Amino acid sequence: MEHNQIQDFNDVVISDFDLIYPNSTVIYKTWNIHDNYEDTYKDMLLHGYGGNIWNMIIRRSLLMNNCIRFPEHLRHCEDVYFAYRLFLSTEKVVKVNKVFYHYNLSNPKQVSNNLDERFNNCCRQHLDEITEYMKERHVYDKYKKEILWLVLQTKTDFVFHPEKYELFNNWRPEANKHIWGCDLLGWRMKVMMLIISWKYYYLASIIRMFEINRFKFSHTKNHDSKHHYYKL
């Protein structure tokens, strides 16, 4: 990376990166650095790949002095766990607007292309733990909205599984108050989640079948569709 940007007492340097798919390559713009670091951290939280660490150079002393480690108890989300704590430990972050990493997603057998229920379990555990970590550092109120939006995004995995509707309402129920205002959800998903939060489970199940059939029809018409349920 550019030498002058690595120096000047910066703790972390981040860059853009490529996402390499079987038939295309996409340049992914990393989250932005703002004058107000609180806005920078919020941007990182809500960015699609905000918790990745493959596009960073990190000062070793920052990790050692703050005891920042990868968690051994998480099979997934270990990088997000790491990054969320990392950026609560320093404001000395600089971004280089160039691609310095190529993330290959073309292997259908790689872990990131084969996420299962354990991934959702790890997401929930990680979000619960970062909430407690923020509360210990007395910063949770600053980022409460963003964390609850991430909770709602994680809850989208429950929406099309009626057997998980109770889990939807029992895990972090305070997030349900933010459904309609959550920018990470499309309006159809918001409606589904509101119905489930009101415990109209039978109605939710009927709409679920309609949406699944609608998705199958649209997917048949367009095999290259990148439609995701959480963006309904």
Side-chain angles (χ1 to χ4, degrees), residues 25-77:
T25 298
V26 178
I27 296 178
Y28 203 91
K29 296 294 184 181
T30 305
W31 42 278
N32 294 312
I33 306 297
H34 301 271
D35 293 335
N36 181 345
Y37 188 76
E38 187 175 320
D39 292 334
T40 298
Y41 194 82
K42 289 178 179 180
D43 199 1
M44 185 273 295
L45 287 174
L46 299 181
H47 200 274
Y49 282 89
N52 62 271
I53 52 88
W54 54 70
N55 62 327
M56 301 179 190
I57 295 177
I58 305 168
R59 190 178 297 277
R60 183 175 184 272
S61 60
L62 174 66
L63 303 179
M64 301 301 292
N65 294 340
N66 292 278
C67 299
I68 300 172
R69 302 287 188 274
F70 284 98
E72 297 182 4
H73 62 286
L74 291 179
R75 177 182 175 87
H76 302 287
C77 299

Side-chain angles (χ1 to χ4, degrees), residues 132-154:
E132 292 306 312
Y133 186 80
M134 287 181 170
K135 287 180 178 179
E136 291 173 4
R137 297 176 67 101
H138 306 290
V139 296
Y140 179 63
D141 287 343
K142 291 182 179 180
Y143 307 113
K144 181 178 180 180
K145 184 187 76 172
E146 288 73 22
I147 292 296
L148 293 180
W149 280 13
L150 291 170
V151 167
L152 290 172
Q153 189 179 54
T154 302

Side-chain angles (χ1 to χ4, degrees), residues 150-188:
L150 291 170
V151 167
L152 290 172
Q153 189 179 54
T154 302
K155 285 189 178 193
T156 59
D157 286 349
F158 306 151
V159 169
F160 288 88
H161 300 279
E163 69 278 9
K164 296 182 179 179
Y165 287 172
E166 287 293 340
L167 178 58
F168 177 97
N169 281 318
N170 291 335
W171 178 60
R172 306 293 293 267
E174 71 275 16
N176 294 349
K177 298 177 182 178
H178 296 262
I179 289 174
W180 197 251
C182 180
D183 291 345
L184 302 180
L185 308 172
W187 71 268
R188 288 188 179 89

